[in-house]
Amino acid sequence: MGRKDSHALSLVFEETETERTQEFVLRWSPDGGRSFREIVRQQWTFSRPNSFREIEDYRVDLSDVTVLELVIVPDINRGSARASLKSLRLSWLRPC
């Protein structure tokens, strides 16, 4: 059985110009990308002035991770917008 490591994942998305609905999928692979396991799939609608930033924080157990993949669909309605990832942070959480 593989090693289980607990990680904290933080993603920040920002959009200050265009109202749109963005979707992202975060997934990982234990075998160099031959197979993937989904962590999260989510949509977020950016609409000014109140919804221009989305912050997502996750705690995940990743066993022998070799690939971490983030796929962003910038605009699920039009498809011509640009993705808005401001930051992605992955931290290993030490066991207590």
Side-chain angles (χ1 to χ4, degrees), residues 51-64:
S51 297
F52 68 92
R53 179 180 296 138
E54 173 66 1
I55 300 170
E56 296 291 330
D57 293 309
Y58 304 98
R59 289 186 95 161
V60 294
D61 290 325
L62 302 175
S63 299
D64 300 321

Side-chain angles (χ1 to χ4, degrees), residues 9-53:
L9 279 163
S10 177
L11 298 105
V12 179
F13 300 95
E14 282 188 3
E15 174 59 74
T16 58
E17 297 177 11
T18 305
E19 293 187 10
R20 61 190 174 83
T21 299
Q22 175 174 289
E23 179 179 86
F24 74 91
V25 178
L26 186 61
R27 59 190 194 157
W28 69 280
S29 174
D31 57 13
R34 289 186 300 274
S35 66
F36 282 90
R37 299 175 187 168
E38 197 168 289
I39 298 169
V40 64
R41 175 182 301 265
Q42 184 170 321
Q43 292 181 355
W44 175 259
T45 300
F46 295 100
S47 59
R48 290 173 276 145
N50 298 323
S51 297
F52 68 92
R53 179 180 296 138

Side-chain angles (χ1 to χ4, degrees), residues 67-79:
V67 177
L68 183 65
E69 181 178 78
L70 174 64
V71 177
I72 302 172
V73 177
D75 188 337
I76 64 169
N77 297 314
R78 292 189 299 267

